[in-house]
Amino acid sequence: MSDSGPFQDFESAVQTVLHALHERLGFDLWMVTRTEDEDWIVLVAEDHGYSVEAGRVFRWSDSFCSRMVAGKGPQIAPDANCIEAYVEAPIARQVPIGAYIGMPLTRTDGSLFGTMCAIDPSPQPASITAELPLLQTLSRLLMTILEADLKAVEQARVLERVQKDAVTDTLTGLLNRRGWDQRLEQEEARVRRYGSPACVFSIDLDDLKEVNDGEGHAAGDVLLCKTADVLLAVTRLTDALARVGGDEFMVLAVETDAVAAIRLHERILVALEEAGVRASIGYAMRAPASTLLKAWRDADRQMYAIKAAHRSRRPERE
């Protein structure tokens, strides 16, 4: 890409900005991060001595940035050892930090996305405080690019959801196994780039075989379609829904933290029960340093354990 051309995306913009800031101000480590509950996730790093790479996860409350965002310390600290809030931060005992820069990255709705920050093992000249307006402007520009990127991602998710082709289950209208695999791969790239939280749900019907054997496959098809309708009703348009097997459904809930995942789990349970659908449901969060595929496997294991427990409680048939 030409140096005079537009940035391809948020990640390339961040890489260019962090490199330019390192060239201008020094500092051994520049990062753009995302905060998610207690996780402080490194999205992009310009590292020259701390051995920090993208994907590294720290504890948010340990950081200088958490104190800066709370107003307990300045955005630029040429000598971090003179700032009580920073001296007391646990991260100061984990890595040498003589100087610090931190800029909050705030979304248009006022919520905190993360930070752009820098540290160096040695104190820096007090004159770097004059760079605050530039740093604030660059932070705002990066967030403008991020908001445009996330809007494009949301639109792409909607488009992927409504496309009807070889990746669609003809009975329920949900993604089939091929479509699910493709969507999981697409979303993995997105959540890795933006540090987004996501949760995978594995749902297996408890009674499909009995319905097929006792009432016929037409009745079984009605049960499958009813399940799909319930899942469509309780999820968002940007989430991914699939029927990956005979009686197994999957939900990928994007931009969903642990609290929202618990609420969605409860909504699915209640909605299925109200529809008269008996099912075993497992779910798992994608850990910041892991993958959606691992979350799927974890959700599956939980679902099968719940299914076994359901079977053990059911009375034996005559």
Side-chain angles (χ1 to χ4, degrees):
M1 182 180 70
S2 170
D3 290 342
S4 60
F7 295 115
Q8 293 179 340
D9 51 32
F10 174 68
E11 184 178 14
S12 63
V14 170
Q15 289 170 342
T16 301
V17 166
L18 296 190
H19 181 72
L21 287 172
H22 172 70
E23 291 291 309
R24 181 181 178 91
L25 300 176
F27 282 73
D28 278 1
L29 176 63
W30 287 87
M31 304 188 298
V32 162
T33 69
R34 176 163 184 163
T35 61
E36 189 59 45
D37 296 326
E38 265 301 300
D39 290 329
W40 190 38
I41 307 162
V42 179
L43 299 184
V44 181
E46 170 94 8
D47 184 272
H48 298 270
Y50 281 94
S51 299
V52 173
E53 298 179 347
R56 183 81 175 270
V57 181
F58 297 94
R59 185 176 175 86
W60 170 243
S61 59
D62 289 351
S63 68
F64 283 15
C65 285
S66 66
R67 287 154 174 76
M68 176 273 296
V69 168
K72 297 178 180 178
Q75 292 180 317
I76 300 179
D79 188 348
N81 296 311
C82 295
I83 310 299
E84 183 178 358
Y86 295 155
V87 172
E88 294 175 350
I91 202 166
R93 297 187 289 275
Q94 300 168 19
V95 294
I97 304 177
Y100 165 76
I101 293 174
M103 299 290 124
L105 299 178
T106 306
R107 299 198 60 177
T108 53
D109 64 3
S111 64
L112 180 69
F113 175 83
T115 60
M116 181 178 75
C117 57
I119 57 175
D120 194 89
S122 302
Q124 298 296 306
S127 59
I128 65 170
T129 58
E131 302 286 352
L132 181 60
L134 172 65
L135 291 162
Q136 291 172 331
T137 298
L138 289 174
S139 299
R140 291 175 60 194
L141 286 172
L142 287 179
M143 288 309 295
T144 300
I145 296 171
L146 175 66
E147 292 286 358
D149 255 20
L150 293 179
K151 184 65 176 178
V153 166
E154 181 180 358
Q155 292 171 343
R157 284 170 175 158
V158 172
L159 179 62
E160 290 158 7
R161 172 79 178 260
V162 300
Q163 286 178 329
K164 301 293 183 181
D165 52 21
V167 299
T168 302
D169 175 50
T170 55
L171 177 64
T172 63
L174 306 183
L175 294 172
N176 59 20
R177 174 58 187 269
R178 178 184 176 188
W180 170 255
D181 289 342
Q182 289 180 2
R183 185 65 181 273
L184 212 65
E185 183 178 354
Q186 291 164 347
E187 292 296 347
E188 175 61 33
R190 290 166 179 161
V191 298
R192 187 176 296 276
R193 174 176 294 171
Y194 302 113
S196 309
C199 186
V200 178
F201 291 77
S202 179
I203 303 160
D204 194 273
L205 304 187
D206 290 344
D207 299 327
L208 181 62
K209 184 178 185 304
E210 288 81 355
V211 171
N212 282 335
D213 291 347
E215 303 175 41
H217 285 275
D221 289 349
V222 170
L223 178 61
L224 290 168
C225 291
K226 183 188 295 185
T227 302
D229 289 343
V230 168
L231 296 178
L232 285 166
V234 298
T235 56
R236 301 162 299 176
L237 193 59
T238 50
D239 296 331
L241 306 182
R243 179 186 170 214
V244 296
D247 58 359
E248 187 172 359
F249 293 80
M250 303 300 303
V251 176
L252 170 58
V254 296
E255 297 291 345
T256 300
D257 61 19
V259 174
I262 292 172
R263 291 173 180 164
L264 179 55
H265 179 241
E266 292 173 349
R267 289 202 302 274
I268 293 173
L269 280 173
V270 171
L272 288 175
E273 183 178 356
E274 290 177 348
V277 178
R278 290 166 48 89
S280 301
I281 306 173
Y283 71 100
M285 297 295 300
R286 178 194 181 276
S290 187
T291 65
L292 288 173
L293 183 59
K294 174 63 163 55
W296 178 13
R297 291 170 178 164
D298 290 344
D300 254 0
R301 279 194 292 269
Q302 186 184 97
M303 179 273 289
Y304 283 120
I306 293 170
K307 192 174 185 70
H310 286 176
R311 284 174 176 164
S312 68
R313 292 196 297 267
R314 296 178 68 176
E316 294 293 331
R317 291 184 179 271
E318 295 295 334

